[in-house]
Amino acid sequence: MMKHSRTPHQRLAVAMLAALLTSATSAIAANPTITPPTPNAKTLNYGLNASPLGDGWYVIEGQNADFSVDNGCNIINTGFFVKDNKVWVINTGTSRLYGEQQRALIEKTTHQAKIQEVINLNLHPDYFLGNQAYADTPIAATAVTQQGMHREASAYETNLYKLCGDWMKGTESRFPDQTVKAPGQFDWSGRQFETMELSGHTDSDLVIFDREHGVLWSGGLVFHDRIITVPHAHLKAWMESLKTLKKLNPKIIIPSHGPVAFGTGAIDQTLDYITWLDQHLKQSADAGLDINEVMDAGVPDRFKHFAAYPAEFYRNVTKFYPQYERAALGGFR
């Protein structure tokens, strides 16, 4: 077949088209499209999707909701980093089945790149109950998180089976065998990521920050458009940790719960809610309100659209209000 050389005008048109495509690709990378899961409770398929954030990062978003059979109790954002045919995984979800489907998705997305390590960011069940799927892989968490996992795991398994049903079949805790020391760094195939051990949501909230590209895995410290969960929380410490994260000035935040956020708005939102909660509970206790009156009062309008409201708000009040009542009566908080 005869090849035809392009005229100068044709070469210019091709160059302009290439420039437009490059520009479009950059715009997409700056504002990546995140595809949520599409769970099917009948087939026990979580419907997971790996959404590229750019620079080797992927997020597997969970539903912004409370635990339910319909969503397979998949309310957490997990993800992974890939470079040089190597993969590092962050959090493994709520069940053996989630971990297996997560791993299959990662292997498909990365064309069978070798998984190097799994990182569990804190002790809560949706961060580590999928670890069984990575029996051949080192798994790491902080020392404090590992202690908490061993303490709580049996109760997690029982409670989540009651909440989630068949999604949890065959799930048993597999604990980390490596210890993350923070502050420090991960060197993942020549890329340097900072680690920080903060607290507030739990006693050990591990944060991973890709400073070069502004990508922050904030663990349980940031909730986006969702009421916070507080079984192991300390509000004052949590507020200080959020102020620390704000100073990092991240471009992309992957919260554990709620949609991926761009800029620091999700940090501000979480801090706003916790600050309001702290002040509201103190004022209510000082005024002598009982716990039912506090729950009936609800939240300001700016928080009413948050996922898991009012159920998690009621849990927030139940968890903390007795402390504020004791303080109002001259006891200790």
Side-chain angles (χ1 to χ4, degrees):
M1 181 180 292
M2 184 178 294
K3 295 183 179 179
H4 298 280
S5 61
R6 293 191 177 102
T7 67
H9 289 296
Q10 289 173 324
R11 288 195 293 270
L12 177 61
V14 170
M16 291 176 65
L17 178 60
L20 285 171
L21 288 173
T22 300
S23 176
T25 302
S26 298
I28 292 170
N31 296 283
T33 299
I34 311 298
T35 305
T38 54
N40 186 323
K42 292 182 179 179
T43 62
L44 298 182
N45 188 330
Y46 283 101
L48 303 178
N49 296 289
S51 299
L53 300 175
D55 303 309
W57 289 111
Y58 287 78
V59 65
I60 304 171
E61 195 170 80
Q63 289 199 341
N64 191 18
D66 210 344
F67 285 141
S68 74
V69 172
D70 285 344
N71 62 33
C73 291
N74 173 26
I75 63 171
I76 189 170
N77 299 325
T78 68
F80 58 98
F81 174 77
V82 58
K83 187 175 186 289
D84 297 335
N85 206 38
K86 299 175 182 177
V87 180
W88 290 261
V89 181
I90 299 177
N91 299 329
T92 60
T94 53
S95 68
R96 174 193 58 78
L97 184 62
Y98 181 102
E100 291 172 352
Q101 293 183 18
Q102 178 197 48
R103 181 164 188 166
L105 175 65
I106 292 171
E107 291 176 347
K108 177 182 177 181
T109 303
T110 65
H111 307 290
Q112 303 292 323
K114 182 172 176 55
I115 296 174
Q116 304 295 301
E117 189 174 40
V118 170
I119 310 296
N120 300 145
L121 295 182
N122 73 40
L123 62 82
H124 286 159
D126 40 356
Y127 292 67
F128 79 94
L129 282 183
N131 283 357
Q132 280 173 281
Y134 298 90
D136 58 342
T137 305
I139 300 176
T142 67
V144 173
T145 287
Q146 291 183 52
Q147 293 166 9
M149 288 174 174
H150 283 275
R151 184 179 65 246
E152 305 282 356
S154 179
Y156 288 157
E157 293 167 11
T158 300
N159 291 337
L160 282 184
Y161 198 96
K162 291 177 181 177
L163 286 169
C164 313
D166 287 347
W167 296 92
M168 300 300 297
K169 283 184 175 179
T171 299
E172 297 178 356
S173 298
R174 177 172 185 245
F175 300 109
D177 50 23
Q178 307 289 321
T179 300
V180 175
K181 295 182 179 179
Q185 284 190 331
F186 289 140
D187 183 334
W188 290 350
S189 200
R191 288 274 294 277
Q192 302 292 320
F193 305 128
E194 300 172 31
T195 62
M196 303 172 66
E197 184 180 17
L198 301 176
S199 66
H201 179 56
T202 72
D203 289 335
S204 177
D205 295 301
L206 183 63
V207 170
I208 301 173
F209 186 44
D210 177 356
R211 186 178 293 274
E212 180 181 358
H213 299 101
V215 177
L216 177 68
W217 288 83
S218 62
L221 291 169
V222 178
F223 281 61
H224 189 197
D225 291 341
R226 192 183 190 282
I227 300 292
I228 61 173
T229 58
V230 296
H232 300 96
H234 303 279
L235 295 184
K236 297 295 186 184
W238 198 336
M239 288 188 276
E240 292 305 310
S241 291
L242 288 167
K243 293 173 186 176
T244 298
L245 295 184
K246 173 86 170 180
K247 292 176 183 177
L248 298 176
N249 195 31
K251 296 177 182 177
I252 299 177
I253 298 174
I254 301 93
S256 286
H257 305 287
V260 171
F262 304 94
T264 59
I267 296 174
D268 297 332
Q269 186 188 69
T270 309
L271 182 59
D272 180 31
Y273 176 81
I274 296 174
T275 302
W276 169 81
L277 181 65
D278 175 59
Q279 294 173 349
H280 177 62
L281 296 182
K282 182 180 185 305
Q283 292 166 0
S284 298
D286 289 344
L289 301 183
D290 68 37
I291 194 168
N292 290 322
E293 290 174 310
V294 177
M295 289 192 284
D296 288 344
V299 301
D301 287 345
R302 67 185 184 276
F303 304 133
K304 286 184 178 177
H305 71 283
F306 283 10
Y309 178 78
E312 286 294 357
F313 168 66
Y314 294 157
R315 295 185 189 111
N316 293 174
V317 176
T318 301
K319 163 78 174 179
F320 291 114
Y321 195 55
Q323 302 174 28
Y324 288 81
E325 289 182 304
R326 288 195 296 272
L329 294 172
F332 296 96
R333 272 175 57 185

